[in-house]
């Protein structure tokens, strides 16, 4: 980008006319008018203060005072309807019982990683970003009957939920999507139809970063080694043995995870999907490539 | 099908996506236009085309119809789902499953304390079903008074009370 600007600047210098007094002027507000004394007939006599009273005698009370009755700004009570509204996040509740039912009825494919896109593609769960919903909260209703082995990615999960999934040999990750990325994740078909580059997912805000960096919540930003320790701890706490994987393919599927900046599995940010011609366009410009990789 | 048509026609042209904003060179009246560099078009960024990752895109496409339920070795399934039985079609009344293969039995609540069971998609002799349901529930709760409503046009029955699980068990036992 720097070379581009220099070239353009040089071209401008070549093409513009010679500098002279007739074609330059000061930057706006760079020269201030000096304040002059108000001595002329217009500004003299009462000097803009009117006649008699507190106004002329500089004894006016504070702003908002209404002659000792309770002023307007104190009369009206405070109702903090929208206090911290930007920090209030909603998560659509989905129970383990529902997930088990989807698996039983063939709505979810257990042989592939399940993320928010797969859940929303069933059309049985709707996540609306415009209503400040940030994803799915996996509840522990049905933890006693849950027996599916799956690789699931949700936004929030309790300890019991994580235990129920890991007991059956599954893998759970909690992950954050910013509203723009969520809009794409929730309806991938509609997003690809736009022909817009896949967005780079933003990191969670200050108050959420601690949650997603914690291994106990299986956060996507947590240290993988700590997650392994947390798995062992949880197994000891709830009294089950950690699953031993025999099938290599299944193990590989269960261990697949998305990059923190990636919103679609197998597709990198910056790519454009052309559904009509069934091709993917990837930028080669190093500037773009570095931006999307960072 | 209409969803697919929309997807195919809505794709924008490839060239528009990878382009920088065109530079706006200020033109002065002193100079003739021929000396300005011709830079009318947008700058295009180099890109490569690939089809290897289309399988991931296809995986992200939704199923447009509700899939058939896979066969299980034993019922009920872990989540408690039971398939409908063919013997149930010989009864004087039928209760059809919803498009998601679930029983059309719902719990309705109004005014905080008014609970009803709503049974939809009833075919055949709806009054016979209502009588059978009331008899079954009365046996379970002899001291309770049962109020019910039959809506013939809407093919539904409403029963006042917290009986959703009992009604569901009854219908499953009948094979619906």
């Amino acid at each position: 980008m720097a070379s581009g600007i220099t070239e353009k600047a040089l071209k401008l210098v070549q093409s513009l006319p010679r500098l002279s007094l007739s074609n330059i002027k000061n930057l706006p507000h760079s020269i201030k008018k000096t304040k002059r004394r108000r001595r002329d007939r217009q500004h003299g006599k009462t000097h803009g203060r009117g006649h008699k009273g507190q106004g002329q005698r500089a004894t006016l009370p504070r702003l908002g005072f209404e002659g000792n009755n309770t002023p307007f700004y104190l009369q009206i009570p405070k109702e903090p309807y929208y206090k911290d509204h930007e920090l209030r996040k909603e998560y659509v509740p989905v129970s383990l019982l529902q997930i088990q039912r989807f698996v039983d009825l063939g709505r979810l494919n257990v042989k592939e990683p399940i993320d928010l896109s797969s859940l929303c593609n069933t059309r049985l769960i709707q996540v609306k970003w415009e209503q400040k919903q940030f994803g799915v909260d996996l509840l522990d209703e049905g933890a006693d009957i849950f027996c599916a082995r799956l690789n699931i990615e949700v936004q929030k999960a309790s300890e019991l939920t994580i235990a129920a999934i890991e007991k059956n040999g599954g893998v759970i990750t909690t992950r954050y999507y910013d509203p723009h990325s969520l809009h794409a994740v929730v309806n991938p078909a509609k997003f690809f139809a736009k022909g817009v580059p896949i967005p780079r997912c933003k990191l969670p805000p200050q108050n959420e970063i601690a949650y997603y960096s914690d291994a106990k919540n299986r956060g996507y930003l947590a240290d993988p080694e700590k997650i392994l320790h947390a798995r062992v701890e949880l197994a000891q706490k709830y009294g089950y043995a950690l699953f031993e994987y025999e099938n290599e393919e299944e193990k590989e599927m269960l261990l697949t995870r998305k990059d923190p900046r990636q919103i679609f599995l197998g597709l990198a940010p910056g790519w454009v999907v052309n559904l009509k011609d069934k091709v993917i366009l990837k930028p080669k410009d190093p500037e773009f490539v570095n931006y999307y990789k960072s | 099908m209409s969803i697919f048509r929309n997807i195919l026609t809505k794709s924008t042209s490839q060239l528009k996506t990878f382009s920088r904003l065109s530079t706006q060179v200020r033109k002065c009246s002193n100079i003739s236009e021929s000396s300005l560099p011709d830079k009318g078009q947008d700058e295009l960024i180099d890109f490569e085309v690939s089809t290897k990752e289309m399988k991931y895109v296809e995986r992200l496409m939704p199923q447009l119809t509700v899939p058939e339920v896979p066969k299980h070795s034993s019922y009920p399934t872990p989540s408690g789902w039971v398939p409908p039985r063919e013997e149930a079609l010989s009864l004087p009344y039928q209760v059809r499953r919803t498009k998601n293969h679930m029983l059309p039995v719902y719990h309705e609540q109004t005014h905080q304390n008014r609970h009803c069971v709503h049974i939809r998609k009833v075919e055949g002799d709806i009054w016979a079903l209502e009588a059978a349901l009331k008899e079954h529930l009365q046996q379970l709760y002899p001291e309770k008074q049962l109020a019910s409503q039959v809506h013939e046009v809407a093919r539904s029955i409403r029963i006042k009370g917290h009986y959703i699980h009992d009604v569901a068990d009854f219908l499953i036992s009948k094979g619906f």
Side-chain angles (χ1 to χ4, degrees), chain A residues 8 15 104 107 112 121 280, chain B residues 23 31 50 59-60 79 100:
Chain A
K8 282 168 196 168
S15 60
D104 290 344
R107 303 304 286 264
E112 282 181 0
N121 277 344
I280 293 170
Chain B
T23 52
I31 326 155
S50 157
R59 207 207 294 177
L60 284 163
S79 62
N100 291 320

Side-chain angles (χ1 to χ4, degrees), chain B residues 6 20-21 31 33 38 45 47 49 63 72 75-77 80 91 98 106 125-126 136 141 148 175:
Chain B
N6 284 338
R20 284 189 246 246
L21 290 168
I31 326 155
E33 297 218 337
D38 195 23
I45 275 91
F47 61 92
V49 177
Q63 278 187 306
H72 292 254
Y75 295 106
T77 61
L91 288 166
T98 65
Y106 309 95
D125 193 350
I126 193 167
H136 175 75
Y141 308 101
S148 64

Side-chain angles (χ1 to χ4, degrees), chain B residues 60-115:
Chain B
L60 284 163
M61 289 295 148
Q63 278 187 306
L64 296 176
T65 50
V66 179
E68 287 293 321
V69 182
K71 288 235 173 344
H72 292 254
S73 54
S74 70
Y75 295 106
T77 61
S79 62
W81 187 82
V82 179
R85 296 201 301 264
E86 277 184 31
E87 305 95 73
L89 295 171
S90 60
L91 288 166
Y93 42 80
Q94 285 87 38
V95 179
R96 297 279 177 196
R97 290 282 176 111
T98 65
K99 65 174 177 292
N100 291 320
H101 314 292
M102 303 289 280
L103 271 176
V105 180
Y106 309 95
H107 168 245
E108 290 178 342
Q109 185 185 355
T110 44
H111 305 93
Q112 278 124 41
N113 57 358
R114 186 171 198 268
H115 303 272

Side-chain angles (χ1 to χ4, degrees), chain A residues 4-237:
Chain A
I5 287 174
T6 324
E7 276 166 22
K8 282 168 196 168
L10 283 169
K11 277 174 190 159
L12 266 178
V13 168
Q14 281 166 13
S15 60
L16 284 173
R18 182 189 294 241
L19 216 59
S20 76
L21 278 174
S22 60
N23 52 19
I24 56 170
K25 71 174 181 183
N26 289 312
L27 282 171
H29 309 297
S30 61
I31 291 176
K32 266 172 93 172
K33 277 193 224 173
T34 49
K35 220 174 174 184
R36 294 178 192 281
R37 279 253 138 205
R38 295 167 128 209
R39 292 211 193 282
D40 56 319
R41 228 170 271 140
Q42 176 70 24
H43 296 104
K45 195 176 164 181
T46 52
H47 293 272
R49 284 181 148 262
H51 289 283
K52 301 179 183 177
Q54 284 181 313
Q56 196 170 34
R57 290 166 184 146
T59 45
L60 277 168
R62 65 178 184 279
L63 199 66
F65 188 73
E66 288 175 19
N68 232 8
N69 60 323
T70 319
F72 171 79
Y73 74 90
L74 289 176
Q75 276 268 20
I76 311 300
K78 272 198 212 179
E79 285 293 351
Y81 300 117
Y82 302 110
K83 187 174 193 280
D84 299 331
H85 73 277
E86 69 275 7
L87 301 174
R88 285 193 208 134
K89 292 183 172 65
E90 281 182 26
Y91 296 92
V92 174
V94 173
S95 64
L96 285 171
L97 172 64
Q98 276 180 289
I99 300 282
Q100 185 62 55
R101 196 184 293 142
F102 296 163
V103 168
D104 290 344
L105 297 178
R107 303 304 286 264
L108 281 178
N109 188 3
V110 161
K111 296 209 172 103
E112 282 181 0
I114 295 166
D115 64 346
L116 190 58
S117 298
S118 342
L119 286 171
C120 292
N121 277 344
T122 62
R123 302 283 192 255
L124 295 164
I125 293 160
Q126 275 99 39
V127 178
K128 294 168 192 167
W129 65 275
E130 63 266 12
Q131 289 182 20
K132 296 198 187 139
Q133 291 173 356
F134 279 74
V136 145
D137 181 5
L138 202 53
L139 304 174
D140 46 30
E141 181 195 6
D144 48 344
I145 53 96
F146 193 76
C147 64
R149 191 178 318 143
L150 36 66
N151 179 0
I152 192 158
E153 187 195 70
V154 287
Q155 278 60 58
K156 297 271 167 172
S158 68
E159 197 185 57
L160 181 59
T161 318
I162 296 167
I165 290 172
E166 289 183 350
K167 180 182 175 183
N168 292 299
V171 172
I172 176 164
T173 323
T174 48
R175 182 228 158 90
Y176 174 82
Y177 289 114
D178 64 279
H180 180 63
S181 305
L182 191 79
H183 191 42
V185 166
V186 154
N187 198 341
K190 194 175 168 186
F191 172 76
F192 291 144
K194 288 184 192 174
V196 166
I198 294 169
R200 186 180 75 150
C201 189
K202 292 186 182 149
L203 287 175
Q206 291 282 341
N207 60 345
E208 296 283 336
I209 215 156
Y211 182 88
Y212 294 106
S213 308
D214 197 354
K216 285 197 180 131
N217 301 323
R218 306 293 184 271
Y220 73 123
L221 299 172
D223 191 1
E225 273 184 38
K226 286 189 182 163
I227 289 177
L228 290 172
H229 286 305
R231 275 170 64 91
V232 173
E233 272 177 37
L234 201 66
Q236 286 174 351
K237 180 174 179 178

